[in-house]
Amino acid sequence: MNVDVDEADVAVLTQNLAKSKDLFNDITKRLHSISTKTSLASTSIKPVLTEFNTLTSKKRSVEEGLLLLKDVSSYAGRAAESQRLLTSPIESVGTTKYLQCLLDSSDLVREMKREIHHFDNVVVTFANVVDKAELNVVTHFTKLVSSVGLGGANVPKQTDIKTVLTYFASKGNLRMAHEAMEKAFARQLTQKMAPLEDNCVFQKRAANMPYERGSNGVASYVEELKNAVSTLQGVAAELLVSDTPVARNTVAQYMDDRVAKILSLYCTFLELSGITGQDLVILDVLDNVADLDNHIGKVANCNLGVCLVANKEYHRLLNIAQGLLAEWVKYVDGRVHAMDKLTDGNIPEVVVEILSKIRRVTEYDSLALLLQDMKLGSWLDVKPPLQFISVYTSVIPGAEGDASDRQAFLVSSYILDLLDELMVDLEIRLKDQSGDNGLRKLTQGFMLVRNVVMIETIINRLEGLYTKLGVIGQERLQRLKNRFLKLFLDDWNYASYIIIRDMTQITTINAQHGGQNSNKEREQVKELFKNFNELFEEALKNYEKFNIQEKDLRAYLSSEIKKLIINAYNKLYDKYGSGEFTKNRAKYIKYDKAQFERILNERL
């Protein structure tokens, strides 16, 4: 039988395909079974894996927690060790060791805040210990400063102070250290000065009650305060803080707290009780305050200008004190007018008393302070008669001129205004008195000149007062003396005057008659010599009545008389001494020029 090959191949192929299909169906069933079982297994194992992962995570957390606890334990141990030192007295631990521990502890706090910040109790507790230790250092530092302050040096403590300062500098808190020093120094300064402050007391004084410079307690107080400030600055320099304002701030605060109080109490006292009898006390206080101001400026770079309260009270006192300028003028005026009658005996007493007052006032440098803002002559109360105003140079317009040193000029002017007030008051009183006892100008002039010369002599012996007068003051004193000299020379002036007057008249008449030596001219010459001789003899007798014992006064008056009369007489003698105006020459011409000068030398 013939078989078709192609059909056979198809049959075989079909059979194989059927087998393959059955095989694939079986594989599919098995894979489905595997998938189902795998899915079931996956569902069953997932909780186990989750639990496993959870356990693994917890294990890791426990391990980290154990490690953290180990770190906390380590930090707590270190903190406990530091706390033991930081809570102990610094003196027992030692400054250097304590500060090093504090520095390390500060670093430890920062590290703990970063690493174990969850453990608040541990971190906060230790941080509080460190903060308290910082305050302990400030307290300890204050004690150290107090131990080496105004009481004297203490080298070991100085070393500790420098160590603390270095610590504060490293912390950027140096200002806090300086403030602590200022408080410590201020406390010492106050304690040291308290007893001397109590001695700065002021009491009512009578106008004529004598005052001894420095007796009110301010002088000794200022001297001790100056020493204390110098010591304070020296200690600051030793502690290497001389380039800081520690001493300056301490002194400024003390000035505002304590010095201001002393000045305030005195100002209030003066405002309530007045300045009578307080003039030298006030000047003394002002001088001492100025001295203190100068000292603290040089030593502590501090002055009243930066001490607001003290400066205010100081200027308050200055304003009160300026009233003294007018008071002294009133004192001079009142002293002269209190005299019942002016005599040769009581005038010098009053002059010396007033000059002594002027001398004492001018011994205080603060007089210049009182004058510095004053208008020239504003302290004067110029009263009629107005002709005497010309004596008071200070109230004449332009009197100040171009004075190069206005302060010195004001002092000089004020002194001379007091002397002018004194002498013009005396002049007025003598003029008023002349109507009662017939005091001639000669006598008035002598009494006044005598006292001006005495004033001049005393001033020349007092270097301080002489220097304060200066050239301008000397010129004014000379002008005052010349004013009274003119009164004294009244007789001599007239004798000299008639020579010039009559010689002029004779010459005029002679010229009118052709220059001939007429009888009228001869009679006039005789009359001139006769009148002059009488006036001259009268003037000599009047002069000799004064019986001048003072060498300087006698020399001065003699010189002035000679300057006035000798030249006039020489002109008269040269003109007519050899003339033929009389046959009885000796009757009219009693002295030749040499004889005239000799008699003046002998009798003046």
Side-chain angles (χ1 to χ4, degrees), residues 404-424:
S404 57
D405 187 344
R406 187 173 189 276
Q407 187 179 65
F409 174 77
L410 286 172
V411 172
S412 175
S413 295
Y414 184 74
I415 295 171
L416 262 299
D417 282 347
L418 292 178
L419 293 176
D420 283 348
E421 183 79 23
L422 167 64
M423 296 309 302
V424 172

Side-chain angles (χ1 to χ4, degrees), residues 322-488:
Q322 282 187 322
L324 291 172
L325 298 173
E327 284 297 313
W328 285 319
V329 175
K330 292 177 183 177
Y331 160 76
V332 173
D333 187 64
R335 188 65 186 86
V336 172
H337 285 87
M339 301 165 67
D340 291 334
K341 185 177 181 179
L342 275 59
T343 66
D344 278 334
N346 63 14
I347 291 178
E349 290 179 3
V350 172
V351 170
V352 169
E353 177 187 320
I354 292 175
L355 188 58
S356 176
K357 181 75 166 183
I358 293 173
R359 174 188 62 79
R360 297 202 67 188
V361 167
T362 56
E363 286 177 350
Y364 295 91
D365 295 333
S366 49
L367 173 62
L369 290 175
L370 304 186
L371 290 163
Q372 63 183 358
D373 297 325
M374 299 291 287
K375 180 181 177 182
L376 189 65
S378 60
W379 44 81
L380 291 172
D381 180 19
V382 180
K383 303 175 292 294
L386 294 179
Q387 64 263 31
F388 294 110
I389 196 172
S390 62
V391 178
Y392 296 112
T393 307
S394 292
V395 294
I396 299 175
E400 188 169 354
D402 57 350
S404 57
D405 187 344
R406 187 173 189 276
Q407 187 179 65
F409 174 77
L410 286 172
V411 172
S412 175
S413 295
Y414 184 74
I415 295 171
L416 262 299
D417 282 347
L418 292 178
L419 293 176
D420 283 348
E421 183 79 23
L422 167 64
M423 296 309 302
V424 172
D425 276 353
L426 290 172
E427 179 183 4
I428 294 173
R429 285 291 311 277
L430 285 171
K431 286 182 182 296
D432 293 342
Q433 197 170 293
S434 64
D436 298 330
N437 58 14
L439 282 179
R440 299 180 58 202
K441 286 184 178 181
L442 170 70
T443 305
Q444 295 175 39
F446 172 74
M447 296 171 73
L448 294 168
V449 170
R450 180 188 185 191
N451 284 280
V452 173
V453 170
M454 180 178 69
I455 290 172
E456 190 177 48
T457 301
I458 294 173
I459 288 175
N460 289 340
R461 294 173 182 171
L462 300 172
E463 183 178 355
L465 186 54
Y466 180 86
T467 301
K468 284 183 170 63
L469 284 184
V471 175
I472 294 176
Q474 295 295 335
E475 290 175 353
R476 280 189 59 180
L477 188 60
Q478 183 61 48
R479 188 157 60 247
L480 188 64
K481 185 166 64 173
N482 291 341
R483 176 186 180 87
F484 302 134
L485 179 65
K486 185 178 180 180
L487 282 175
F488 170 74

Side-chain angles (χ1 to χ4, degrees), residues 125-141:
T125 299
F126 186 55
N128 289 338
V129 170
V130 172
D131 289 342
K132 186 175 181 181
E134 292 275 7
L135 297 177
N136 290 340
V137 171
V138 174
T139 302
H140 176 66
F141 180 70

Side-chain angles (χ1 to χ4, degrees), residues 300-313:
N301 192 30
C302 177
N303 55 57
L304 278 171
V306 301
C307 308
L308 300 182
V309 182
N311 193 44
K312 178 183 177 182
E313 295 301 330

Side-chain angles (χ1 to χ4, degrees), residues 53-248:
N53 290 334
T54 299
L55 289 174
T56 301
S57 176
K58 289 183 177 179
K59 178 184 177 185
R60 190 182 301 113
S61 297
V62 169
E63 289 174 347
E64 290 175 353
L66 290 173
L67 182 60
L68 180 58
L69 288 174
K70 183 178 180 181
D71 289 341
V72 171
S73 177
S74 175
Y75 282 124
R78 292 166 60 189
E81 179 61 25
S82 296
Q83 183 173 346
R84 184 182 64 80
L85 286 177
L86 296 180
T87 55
S88 300
I90 299 178
E91 294 81 1
S92 63
V93 177
T95 301
T96 302
K97 185 177 180 180
Y98 190 93
L99 292 178
Q100 185 58 54
C101 178
L102 185 53
L103 284 171
D104 294 341
S105 297
S106 297
D107 293 338
L108 180 58
V109 168
R110 286 192 292 272
E111 187 178 342
M112 290 170 68
K113 287 180 178 180
R114 185 177 63 252
E115 300 296 338
I116 61 170
H117 58 87
H118 292 298
F119 294 84
D120 289 343
N121 288 340
V122 176
V123 176
V124 171
T125 299
F126 186 55
N128 289 338
V129 170
V130 172
D131 289 342
K132 186 175 181 181
E134 292 275 7
L135 297 177
N136 290 340
V137 171
V138 174
T139 302
H140 176 66
F141 180 70
T142 303
K143 291 179 180 178
L144 289 173
V145 174
S146 299
S147 68
V148 299
L150 303 180
N154 186 317
V155 177
K157 296 293 177 64
Q158 286 184 23
T159 302
D160 282 353
I161 290 174
K162 293 176 184 178
T163 301
V164 179
L165 286 172
T166 302
Y167 165 78
F168 279 119
S170 69
K171 301 283 287 184
N173 289 334
L174 198 54
R175 180 58 218 162
M176 183 171 68
H178 291 163
E179 289 176 353
M181 295 182 77
E182 290 167 14
K183 290 179 181 178
F185 285 142
R187 190 180 304 110
Q188 292 181 74
L189 195 56
T190 300
Q191 292 173 349
K192 183 178 183 65
M193 298 304 301
L196 291 159
E197 289 177 21
D198 294 338
N199 292 332
C200 296
V201 293
F202 305 96
Q203 58 183 354
K204 288 187 177 181
R205 303 174 56 84
N208 59 350
M209 186 175 178
Y211 174 73
E212 182 180 351
R213 190 168 189 161
S215 61
N216 62 26
V218 173
S220 55
Y221 168 77
V222 166
E223 193 61 32
E224 188 62 30
L225 182 54
K226 285 164 54 182
N227 293 335
V229 171
S230 295
T231 302
L232 174 62
Q233 180 60 31
V235 171
E238 289 177 2
L239 298 176
L240 305 178
V241 293
S242 56
D243 58 342
T244 68
V246 168
R248 177 178 179 270

